[in-house]
Amino acid sequence: MMSQGNDEINAKSDLRRVMRARLKNLTEPTLRAWSAQLVRHLQNRQDLWAKPGTIALFGGLRSEPDLVSTFLPWLREKGWRVCFFKVCDTGLLPVEVKDLSDLQRGSMNVWEPLGTEVLPLSSLDVILVPALAYALTDGARLGRGGGFYDRLLSRSDVRARLIGIAFQIQLMPEVPAEAHDIRVPDLVTELG
């Protein structure tokens, strides 16, 4: 008989497989259109952008929304300080970027900053959080399996507002979650 913990791990693995297949089948034009719509919805969130601060973005994987092409320059024009996370061992470290030339593909093929000056986590006002799936009920998130964001977001010095970013096909009624999994109830997709 399997323990409850093993059942959750198997459920997560199964959902990861389903979501990866779903995202892999999306065409480039669909991904571009959905990314543009998602960015427009983000830009319209006046509750987020009224007062400039520091925001952490993510990106680089084919199946993720493009937050670099138009959103990064828009934020900079609004006076926001933008950072991306550098992968360091099993952790994520925020480093400021000004434009695409400050980014490179890291070991996991995600965008990582070229700079080395790490910002304090407590200085972040907003963190856009990626996932393979989000639960509509409580914002439970299914990451890619490395635990990087769960470790980051559970730190006591993270005080930022968390905004889940995903495409509508990544939203599920429920997502298997364990006690250590971080929930992100504020979600933005290409539909709003």
Side-chain angles (χ1 to χ4, degrees):
M1 179 179 226
M2 277 193 201
S3 72
Q4 178 67 17
N6 285 339
D7 288 346
E8 288 172 354
I9 290 169
N10 289 336
K12 284 182 173 185
S13 295
D14 291 344
L15 184 54
R16 280 189 184 100
R17 194 171 22 263
V18 167
M19 295 311 296
R20 283 185 178 116
R22 219 182 249 192
L23 292 166
K24 185 179 179 182
N25 288 328
L26 296 173
T27 65
E28 290 297 326
T30 297
L31 288 167
R32 278 194 303 275
W34 286 359
S35 285
Q37 291 170 333
L38 189 148
V39 165
R40 278 194 298 279
H41 286 294
L42 268 174
Q43 290 169 331
N44 289 332
R45 289 283 304 268
Q46 295 304 314
D47 61 314
L48 296 174
W49 318 124
K51 180 181 168 200
T54 304
I55 184 171
L57 304 183
F58 67 89
L61 298 180
R62 178 194 174 274
S63 61
E64 291 179 330
D66 176 5
L67 301 174
V68 175
S69 299
T70 60
F71 193 52
L72 170 58
W74 182 85
L75 286 166
R76 300 275 302 145
E77 286 173 14
K78 293 276 187 190
W80 279 76
R81 189 174 192 189
V82 178
C83 68
F84 275 74
F85 291 110
K86 185 177 287 260
V87 178
C88 184
D89 298 322
T90 60
L92 298 174
L93 304 173
V95 175
E96 186 174 6
V97 299
K98 296 188 184 337
D99 56 42
L100 183 59
S101 68
D102 292 337
L103 295 168
Q104 67 181 356
R105 296 284 179 172
S107 59
M108 297 179 182
N109 207 31
V110 296
W111 288 124
E112 286 191 44
L114 289 168
T116 57
E117 186 179 334
V118 176
L119 303 174
L121 286 173
S122 60
S123 72
L124 302 181
D125 298 295
V126 177
I127 299 175
L128 300 187
V129 184
L132 276 175
Y134 276 108
L136 287 168
T137 52
D138 63 358
R141 83 177 263 287
L142 179 71
R144 296 190 178 272
F148 287 93
Y149 273 86
D150 284 322
R151 282 189 295 278
L152 171 82
L153 300 177
S154 66
R155 291 190 41 174
S156 62
D157 50 346
V158 172
R159 296 180 185 93
R161 184 166 178 183
L162 307 179
I163 310 291
I165 302 296
F167 296 125
Q168 195 70 28
I169 65 167
Q170 294 173 269
L171 302 186
M172 309 294 293
E174 292 183 359
V175 168
E178 298 171 75
H180 68 269
D181 291 329
I182 300 298
R183 283 159 174 71
V184 184
D186 193 351
L187 304 173
V188 176
T189 74
E190 77 278 11
L191 298 182

